[in-house]
Amino acid sequence: MYRFLLTPRWWGINVFAVLAIPLCLFMGSWQLSRFEDRVDTHQQQEDRSARAKTAAARPLADLLPVDKDTSGRQASARGHYDTAHQLLVPGRTLKDRHGGQQGFYVLSLLRTDSGKALPVVRGWLPGDAGAKADTARVPAPPKGEVTVTGALQASENQGTDGVQAGGGLPQGQLGMISAASLVNIVPYDVYDAWITLTDAQAPLRAVPPAAAEGSGLDLKAFQNLGYTGEWFVFAGFVVFMWFRLFRRDAEAAKDAALGIVPEAEAEAEADRDGDGGAARVGEPGEPPAGGVDAAGDLPQGEGKAGERGADRGEAQVEGQVEGHVEAQGEGRAEGRGEAARAGKA
C-alpha cells in the first residue's frame, strides 16, 4: 500500500524533508546561541561598569585601544584644555528617573603630553545647542594643566543613538564624537576614543557611560530571538506538509486497493457514458452538437437529457405514422362509397 513512496515524486519530497528539517533546526539553534551570547555579554558589561565605578583609574595608554573589556573602565589623562576649540554636541538625550530630556553635550579637547588630544565630554545641559540663552550657561573649561578621570568610550559611528552624521551643523557644533569627525576641525591628532567625566562642573550634569557596541540587549539581540522562532516554525511546517501529503496518498492507495473509484473519476466516467448513449439513440452517423434529430425533429442532449429527447422523438414518429395510416383508410372508404352511389345511379 505504501509503494507510492518509491515513486520519483516521493523521492524528491523525502530528500527535501531530510535536508530541510536539520537545516532549520541548526539555524534556529545558532540564532538562539547568538541571543544567549548577547545576554551574557550584557550582564558582563553591567558587572564591569559597576566595578569600574569603584575601581581605581588607570592611565589612558594602558586601556587603548578601546574594546568590550576596556569600554567603561575608569581612565585618567593629564594635559591642558584647548579653550579655542570647545564644541557642543546637539540632539543628545539624558535619561533619568523622570524620563528623558533633550539637550547637548559639552565637549572639550585635552592636549596631552604625547601631543595627541583626548576628547572629553565635560557634561550635559538641557536645551538647544543653537539657542544663545542655553549656550550662555556653559561654563568655561579649567585653565592650566589638569588631570581628568572618566569612563573610557569608543568612538561613535553612524549607528550610535543621537548621532547626526549628515553634516550641515553650525560652526562650533559636532554631530558625532570620533577622531574622523574631529580631524577636520582641529590642527592636531586626536585619540580614537573619548571619556565622559565622572564629576561634572556645575551646572553641567555627568553623562553616564554607554554600553560597548554589540554588548547590550539592543534591537539586534531581539532580532536573533525572533529568527530563532522563525526557523523552528519552518521545521514544523516541513513536518506538517510531509505528513499531510503522505496521508493523502496513503488514503488514495487504500481506496484503489478496495476498488473505490475517486469522485472525480466517477463523474468523468458518467459523462463519457452519457455522451455514448445519446449518440446511439439517433440515426446512424454523429448528429451535430445542438442539432435536430432526423426522426423526431427534436434536439439531442447529452446523458439522460439526450435519452429523454430520443424517447419523445420516437413517440412523435409513431404518432405520425399512425395518423397517416388512419388518413389513408378513411380516404379509401370514402372512395368506395362514392363509386357505389355512382353505380346505382
Side-chain angles (χ1 to χ4, degrees):
M1 186 172 65
Y2 299 123
R3 292 182 179 179
F4 63 86
L5 293 174
L6 301 178
T7 60
R9 172 175 174 268
W10 269 98
W11 270 107
I13 293 174
N14 292 331
V15 170
F16 173 78
V18 169
L19 295 178
I21 294 174
L23 175 64
C24 293
L25 294 178
F26 170 77
M27 293 300 297
S29 301
W30 179 73
Q31 291 290 348
L32 181 60
S33 65
R34 293 281 296 172
F35 174 75
E36 292 175 347
D37 290 343
R38 289 181 179 274
V39 172
D40 295 339
T41 305
H42 174 68
Q43 185 63 41
Q44 294 173 4
Q45 181 67 25
E46 288 186 345
D47 295 341
R48 284 195 298 267
S49 299
R51 292 194 301 268
K53 293 179 180 180
T54 58
R58 296 179 57 183
L60 176 66
D62 296 343
L63 300 176
L64 295 177
V66 184
D67 54 21
K68 292 182 180 180
D69 294 330
T70 60
S71 179
R73 298 286 299 272
Q74 293 291 312
S76 62
R78 187 172 181 84
H80 62 276
Y81 284 112
D82 182 4
T83 56
H85 293 94
Q86 181 166 267
L87 300 170
L88 303 179
V89 185
R92 299 306 174 101
T93 302
L94 188 65
K95 296 182 180 180
D96 54 17
R97 60 181 181 179
H98 301 294
Q101 288 183 289
Q102 190 77 9
F104 55 91
Y105 292 165
V106 178
L107 184 143
S108 299
L109 294 167
L110 183 72
R111 300 290 303 274
T112 63
D113 296 338
S114 64
K116 287 186 176 182
L118 175 66
V120 178
V121 174
R122 296 168 48 219
W124 174 90
L125 277 177
D128 185 3
K132 293 183 178 180
D134 295 330
T135 58
R137 297 185 295 126
V138 176
K143 296 181 179 180
E145 192 173 37
V146 295
T147 300
V148 297
T149 302
L152 185 63
Q153 302 281 272
S155 292
E156 295 180 336
N157 53 56
Q158 295 183 359
T160 306
D161 292 338
V163 165
Q164 301 181 26
L169 295 175
Q171 186 177 2
Q173 295 187 18
L174 182 68
M176 180 169 60
I177 306 175
S178 66
S181 300
L182 290 167
V183 71
N184 298 322
I185 298 176
V186 296
Y188 40 77
D189 293 334
V190 179
Y191 283 108
D192 190 16
W194 57 282
I195 66 172
T196 172
L197 294 183
T198 305
D199 298 324
Q201 183 180 359
L204 300 177
R205 295 171 58 181
V207 176
E213 185 177 0
S215 64
L217 293 179
D218 52 5
L219 180 60
K220 292 183 179 179
F222 291 101
Q223 284 179 344
N224 293 136
L225 186 61
Y227 294 152
T228 300
E230 288 181 359
W231 283 112
F232 288 152
V233 169
F234 291 158
F237 180 74
V238 173
V239 174
F240 168 76
M241 289 303 299
W242 186 93
F243 178 75
R244 184 175 182 180
L245 293 174
F246 172 80
R247 186 178 63 178
R248 186 189 66 180
D249 288 2
E251 291 178 352
K254 184 178 179 180
D255 292 343
L258 296 175
I260 301 175
V261 181
E263 183 178 354
E265 294 182 4
E267 292 179 355
E269 186 176 354
D271 292 340
R272 290 194 297 270
D273 292 343
D275 294 341
R280 290 191 296 270
V281 170
E283 294 292 333
E286 184 178 355
V292 178
D293 187 7
D297 293 334
L298 292 175
Q300 295 290 335
E302 294 181 0
K304 296 180 180 180
E307 293 178 359
R308 290 194 298 268
D311 293 340
R312 288 195 298 269
E314 291 176 357
Q316 288 185 1
V317 170
E318 292 175 358
Q320 290 177 358
V321 171
E322 292 175 358
H324 183 67
V325 171
E326 291 177 356
Q328 287 181 348
E330 292 176 357
R332 291 193 184 98
E334 290 177 359
R336 287 193 296 269
E338 292 178 356
R341 287 192 298 269
K344 290 178 180 182

